[in-house]
Amino acid sequence: MRDDQKQLEVLAERACEQAKKLGASAARVTAGASTERKVVVRDGKLEQIQSASSRSLVLHLYVDGRYGSHVTSVLDDRALAAFMGRAVEMTRVLSPDPHRQLVAPRLQQGRSTADLGVYDPDHSKVEMASHKARAMTAHDAARKAAGKSLLSSGGGAGDRVSVQVLRTTNGFADSEKRTSFSTWATVSVSDKDDKRPSDSQSDQARRYADLRDPATLGVEAAERTLANVGADAIATVTLPLIVENRAVGRLMSGLLSPLSGWALDQKRSCFEHSLGKAVGSELLHIVDDPLLQGGWGSRRFDGEGITAKRRALFNKGVLGTFFIDDYQGRKLGREATSGGASNLVFGVGGESLDALCARVGKAILITGFLGGNANSTTGDFSHGVRGFLIEGGKRSRPIAAMNVSGNHTAFWRGLQGLGDDPWPYGSIRAPSLVFGATTIAGR
């Protein structure tokens, strides 16, 4: 990967120089390379062993007041020269757009020089045999724990290493390397009426040494699946709602969409006039933290080269910022922040998920969302859900084929409790959340 980085840096610098020679007033070049490896075991047999590598170059051109973005994966000198010539000529015929410019250097200053813990220098020491052993161990443990009702079990393990190089004709030059390792297990079992409940458990880490025991993952996958046996819809109820940490990300997607510069520009944001105003309860505290150690969204700069900074997205329910890239910032007359979220870190409480259930007494616990949609213009959302009916503070029966709907401009005002269990395996580090009385539609 070190050689890849050096080659990509030279490639990106040459592309910037060539773009200027071909008549571009400015250019931004992103060159990247990645290698992924994966092993999958299914029902006692080795199903897949895969290793794949890719390289690409993304060329952002500014020509005669016009802008065009072009991509190629053919990077030898002759093909790249021909690609760039075509790219410049194609950009010349596009409509002018005065808002398309390179990011101002002042927005790229002060980048962190800290090691963000997103790259494992020992990555090359991890052999495919290690992934195979972890996949088989997770699979075997899941299969054993599922017992006689087992229909199918699977286990997998793999890794990814990547490097991204960013260069611009106005002086930006930086690179980032990342690694990730993963292990997972899946289980499906038989149920009445020919239903086939299924669930999974997974683990991810930036460093191989930080992965969990694969046998434990297999057992947890089986336990989660078996807990869903007999799941069905119950009558429509209005009860407090608890959302398990691993499921919060699906709910968050509808909250984040209206916060983009694109939504603001297109008048499709239900939060257009909400900056500095309370849109959630005082428990809603979320920080966008790109400098989080080992975070899945950690970065020192974004795709445009804008310096990554820690920002309060919500503070005691008050909306603190939008995700605005440089282009949308120019159109809207606002300062660019970044084109998207990095690590969204929630405030946490002092109770486990079980303790939250015990305190609430009777509620619906959502462990997964099934499809659905959200409207960024109105804030309306609707999702299918699965989970459990909580009675007497404990899970009394599994539920499925039910639906929760609401509006994001009001829903988060009902946040009443936070768990102590922020989800560590994604860029949304949310704990389990408790909401007030919510209608869950059933039969």
Side-chain angles (χ1 to χ4, degrees):
M1 189 54 65
R2 181 178 299 175
D3 291 340
D4 277 341
Q5 181 173 341
K6 291 180 179 179
Q7 293 172 8
L8 292 172
E9 287 172 349
V10 171
L11 184 68
E13 288 164 1
R14 287 179 179 173
C16 283
E17 293 171 0
Q18 185 66 14
K20 295 283 284 186
K21 289 179 181 179
L22 290 170
S25 58
R28 183 175 85 247
V29 176
T30 301
S34 66
T35 298
E36 295 185 67
R37 301 183 298 173
K38 181 170 65 173
V39 177
V40 178
V41 178
R42 181 78 58 192
D43 298 328
K45 297 179 180 180
L46 189 60
E47 182 179 82
Q48 183 180 18
I49 297 181
Q50 176 181 317
S51 179
S53 296
S54 65
R55 290 160 65 91
S56 65
L57 182 142
V58 183
L59 178 63
H60 302 268
L61 289 174
Y62 304 82
V63 183
D64 300 334
R66 297 160 170 82
Y67 165 81
S69 177
H70 313 270
V71 183
T72 183
S73 58
V74 184
L75 304 181
D76 62 86
D77 290 345
R78 179 176 295 181
L80 189 59
F83 161 77
M84 294 196 62
R86 293 192 301 269
V88 170
E89 291 308 310
M90 285 190 288
T91 303
R92 289 187 192 280
V93 301
L94 298 176
S95 298
D97 189 341
H99 301 293
R100 290 288 189 183
Q101 302 176 33
L102 282 180
V103 171
R106 64 181 176 79
L107 295 175
Q108 300 172 328
Q109 296 173 353
R111 292 190 300 280
S112 171
T113 58
D115 179 0
L116 298 182
V118 297
Y119 179 75
D120 186 348
D122 294 327
H123 170 270
S124 61
K125 298 178 183 179
V126 181
E127 299 180 351
M128 192 69 91
S130 298
H131 293 323
K132 181 179 178 181
R134 288 186 64 86
M136 186 63 75
T137 299
H139 164 275
D140 290 350
R143 193 171 188 84
K144 181 179 180 180
K148 295 181 180 180
S149 60
L150 176 73
L151 288 175
S152 179
S153 63
D159 66 75
R160 185 176 191 272
V161 57
S162 66
V163 60
Q164 181 187 62
V165 172
L166 182 61
R167 295 290 187 271
T168 67
T169 52
N170 67 346
F172 183 94
D174 213 334
S175 308
E176 287 192 314
K177 295 186 294 184
R178 295 180 175 84
T179 52
S180 62
F181 300 87
S182 59
T183 311
W184 65 93
T186 61
V187 174
S188 64
V189 297
S190 60
D191 196 357
K192 63 181 181 179
D193 300 326
D194 200 32
K195 293 180 180 178
R196 299 186 176 190
S198 64
D199 212 324
S200 63
Q201 186 62 290
S202 62
D203 179 33
Q204 297 184 81
R206 287 295 190 184
R207 299 176 184 271
Y208 182 76
D210 294 334
L211 287 171
R212 295 172 59 200
D213 172 33
T216 301
L217 297 178
V219 172
E220 291 176 354
E223 290 176 343
R224 291 185 67 90
T225 301
L226 292 171
N228 289 321
V229 171
D232 203 352
I234 60 175
T236 298
V237 293
T238 300
L239 290 171
L241 188 67
I242 303 174
V243 182
E244 188 182 20
N245 56 4
R246 63 190 279 165
V248 173
R250 183 68 182 87
L251 187 63
M252 279 291 294
S253 64
L255 178 63
L256 294 176
S257 180
L259 302 181
S260 71
W262 178 88
L264 293 172
D265 179 45
Q266 297 297 313
K267 302 296 182 182
R268 295 184 179 181
S269 173
C270 58
F271 294 121
E272 180 180 3
H273 304 294
S274 297
L275 191 66
K277 299 179 181 178
V279 298
S281 82
E282 290 198 353
L283 293 179
L284 184 61
H285 183 78
I286 306 176
V287 173
D288 182 49
D289 187 359
L291 306 180
L292 181 69
Q293 273 290 308
W296 294 101
S298 295
R299 62 195 185 205
R300 294 181 297 105
F301 55 92
D302 72 2
E304 294 182 299
I306 296 175
T307 297
K309 296 180 180 180
R310 190 174 185 270
R311 301 175 187 273
L313 183 58
F314 296 100
N315 183 18
K316 293 185 177 181
V318 176
L319 177 61
T321 190
F322 292 109
F323 298 109
I324 302 176
D325 65 17
D326 187 64
Y327 174 63
Q328 298 295 347
R330 293 177 189 276
K331 292 186 72 177
L332 295 167
R334 297 174 182 252
E335 182 81 346
T337 57
S338 182
S342 58
N343 301 295
L344 295 179
V345 183
F346 278 65
V348 298
E351 297 178 282
S352 67
L353 176 58
D354 287 342
L356 292 175
C357 292
R359 176 165 61 82
V360 174
K362 188 171 184 178
I364 294 294
L365 168 62
I366 293 178
T367 59
F369 289 96
L370 308 171
N373 57 77
N375 186 314
S376 65
T377 305
T378 64
D380 292 334
F381 68 87
S382 177
H383 299 291
V385 301
R386 68 177 182 180
F388 298 88
L389 174 65
I390 305 298
E391 293 182 298
K394 297 182 178 181
R395 304 180 189 195
S396 65
R397 59 169 296 176
I399 62 170
M402 300 187 72
N403 183 274
V404 60
S405 59
N407 187 287
H408 283 292
T409 63
F411 181 74
W412 294 89
R413 298 177 189 274
L415 181 63
Q416 296 182 350
L418 305 168
D420 63 356
D421 54 349
W423 182 246
Y425 306 121
S427 59
I428 297 179
R429 295 209 171 190
S432 297
L433 306 178
V434 180
F435 295 89
T438 306
T439 298
I440 310 295
R443 52 179 170 80

